[in-house]
Amino acid sequence: MQARRVIEIAESGGRLPIELIVVGYWASQAGAVVYVLNGVTPQAINLVLDPIVTTLPLSIPGVLYVSINDKARVCEAVRCADEIYAATETFRRLTALYGIAPSLVRSAATAIPRLESRTLLSEKDVRAPMPSEPHVVMPFPAMNRVRWGARDTTAKHPAKAAV
């Protein structure tokens, strides 16, 4: 497994780190990202990413989900990664057990600004788009205004369906 980044995904205060999940996915344009799931299901991550996945080409490396209980895969991921972000002390201890120096494991809280700035700025430099290729930028500051919900598909005018 050749992961560029490993990010632990764990609930905090009963909430998923939605912005971290989105930023991690956008960062996967430059190389595979492993989400180490700690008490979070792949289905929960999919609910966050489903609307985002369609905005990027299918040719990107993308993200891989690994359970924190899968010791062999977690070990392989952290040993190969360029960057590691931990949300819990449990994951920090695991990385130390696998020979990763504690100074190389960053807080998941620092991942958002670090990955966001690279994704929106330097990824363009790494893979310059062709002139005919549209450049899509995710409005991260607007994430708190995005609403997902059921839509009434039986309405005669879909544009006027309830959200």
Side-chain angles (χ1 to χ4, degrees), residues 3 7 39 49 62 65 72 90 99 105 114 119 128 131 135 148 162:
I7 303 171
L49 291 182
Y65 306 154
T90 301
V105 181
R114 292 177 66 87
T119 300
H135 181 68
W148 289 298

Side-chain angles (χ1 to χ4, degrees), residues 24-163:
Y25 182 72
W26 275 75
S28 75
Q29 295 175 79
V33 173
V34 171
Y35 287 156
V36 175
L37 306 183
N38 186 353
V40 175
T41 66
Q43 294 81 8
I45 304 295
N46 288 344
L47 285 174
V48 173
L49 291 182
D50 282 348
I52 313 287
V53 168
T54 60
T55 65
L56 292 176
L58 295 176
S59 60
I60 68 169
V63 295
L64 174 67
Y65 306 154
V66 174
S67 170
I68 196 166
N69 298 321
D70 188 340
K71 306 298 186 206
R73 292 182 76 200
V74 171
C75 178
E76 181 183 359
V78 298
R79 286 186 174 171
C80 296
D82 295 333
E83 298 176 37
I84 302 168
Y85 297 97
T88 66
E89 194 56 40
T90 301
F91 184 62
R92 284 186 179 281
R93 282 193 299 272
L94 273 179
T95 60
L97 283 172
Y98 301 142
I100 306 300
S103 62
L104 297 177
V105 181
R106 297 180 177 102
S107 167
T110 67
I112 294 170
R114 292 177 66 87
L115 297 177
E116 183 178 73
S117 66
R118 290 185 196 159
T119 300
L120 296 177
L121 301 175
S122 66
E123 299 303 332
K124 188 172 116 182
D125 298 333
V126 171
R127 186 193 63 81
M130 299 300 289
S132 63
E133 183 180 5
H135 181 68
V136 179
V137 176
M138 178 66 179
F140 289 105
M143 282 303 294
N144 62 345
R145 292 187 292 274
V146 175
R147 293 185 305 157
W148 289 298
R151 182 170 269 239
D152 180 4
T153 58
T154 61
K156 289 186 181 194
H157 301 286
K160 295 181 182 178
V163 177

